[in-house]
Amino acid sequence: DADVTQTPRNRITKTGKRIMLECSQTKGHDRMYWYRQDPGLGLRLIYYSFDVKDINKGEISDGYSVSRQAQAKFSLSLESAIPNQTALYFCATSGGQHNEKLFFGSGTQLSVL
Amino acid sequence: AQSVTQPDIHITVSEGASLELRCNYSYGATPYLFWYVQSPGQGLQLLLKYFSGDTLVQGIKGFEAEFKRSQSSFNLRKPSVHWSDAAEYFCAVGGGYQKVTFGIGTKLQVIP
């Protein structure tokens, strides 16, 4: 089984719909991240969480919200999806401090029509 | 604010030739620095990282990177490129109590 699991793998939705992307990890890591990847723009940080009670905005948090339900679970919501949120979304985890290697999920390809 | 600049969006090299991918960073303290690779349709895999110690870091798949504090650079190198190295490469900075920030990536094409 994968260490970092993202669901769904692919999603097509319509403008204005609410959508949730889920991420779960079996690494036992405290730190979790949501990134989006767009061609030519690399990975941009949406939100990150250093523990269950810690939520921080990243570079591009507008239009997104997150929930850290447990150490192992970190979900990303688009309250009212718009077409420019079409992207590949990655969840990642790390052990923090001197164990900063990021472990990535396989990604969720989201298309907003 | 921390940031990463990868000035080369695309690079094409011949198989067997040497490779250097450039990365410059901005960070307020001693940085954690990383290089990740993404093959088509895949997630990101860590090639190597630097935090302290020897400024020349060895990674997987024959890659190495050199940290130069005076130039705020962390360039990735490989002496002889293989066709399987064709991928997108991302430099990143962060760690400790800071988030991890990525550059925009460099796409590497390898020609026979």
Side-chain angles (χ1 to χ4, degrees):
Chain A
D1 289 338
D3 295 322
V4 183
T5 302
Q6 290 183 234
T7 56
R9 289 295 306 275
N10 292 280
R11 181 72 182 268
I12 300 173
T13 191
K14 295 182 178 180
T15 298
K17 293 291 187 182
R18 183 179 189 276
I19 183 169
M20 179 182 289
L21 309 183
E22 300 192 14
C23 177
S24 62
Q25 51 112 347
T26 58
K27 301 291 292 183
H29 288 165
D30 286 326
R31 299 185 178 192
M32 298 188 74
Y33 301 78
W34 276 104
Y35 291 91
R36 65 175 277 177
Q37 185 177 20
D38 299 274
L41 296 178
L43 277 79
R44 291 181 292 167
L45 184 61
I46 306 172
Y47 271 96
Y48 62 106
S49 169
F50 280 2
D51 65 43
V52 174
K53 297 181 180 180
D54 177 74
I55 301 289
N56 303 282
K57 292 182 177 180
E59 309 161 50
I60 53 164
S61 59
D62 287 349
Y64 301 94
S65 62
V66 290
S67 173
R68 186 80 184 266
Q69 300 95 323
Q71 185 199 42
K73 296 183 182 296
F74 191 40
S75 60
L76 175 71
S77 294
L78 287 68
E79 297 302 326
S80 179
I82 57 177
N84 77 1
Q85 291 177 313
T86 293
L88 180 58
Y89 289 83
F90 284 106
C91 175
T93 74
S94 74
Q97 289 299 301
H98 299 292
N99 186 15
E100 290 300 335
K101 176 182 177 180
L102 288 172
F103 292 82
F104 284 85
S106 298
T108 295
Q109 180 61 57
L110 176 65
S111 298
V112 183
L113 305 180
Chain B
Q2 63 192 69
S3 65
V4 176
T5 300
Q6 292 181 250
D8 304 309
I9 298 175
H10 286 98
I11 283 186
T12 300
V13 300
S14 298
E15 192 169 14
S18 64
L19 171 70
E20 183 169 26
L21 303 182
R22 295 183 290 165
C23 172
N24 292 96
Y25 68 90
S26 173
Y27 195 76
T30 301
Y32 284 93
L33 292 161
F34 310 84
W35 277 98
Y36 285 85
V37 61
Q38 185 182 32
S39 298
Q42 304 293 315
L44 279 77
Q45 179 185 21
L46 181 69
L47 283 176
L48 47 79
K49 69 176 183 180
Y50 170 82
F51 176 60
S52 64
D54 193 343
T55 57
L56 185 62
V57 181
Q58 301 299 319
I60 62 171
K61 304 185 179 186
F63 285 91
E64 66 178 26
E66 186 171 11
F67 171 58
K68 293 185 177 180
R69 185 186 299 274
S70 62
Q71 298 177 20
S72 297
S73 69
F74 189 56
N75 293 349
L76 182 71
R77 300 194 293 249
K78 187 170 185 178
S80 177
V81 171
H82 188 262
W83 64 266
S84 61
D85 294 324
E88 191 160 18
Y89 292 80
F90 294 91
C91 183
V93 66
Y97 291 101
Q98 299 298 319
K99 61 194 177 187
V100 179
T101 298
F102 286 81
I104 64 171
T106 298
K107 281 190 176 177
L108 174 65
Q109 181 182 8
V110 180
I111 56 177

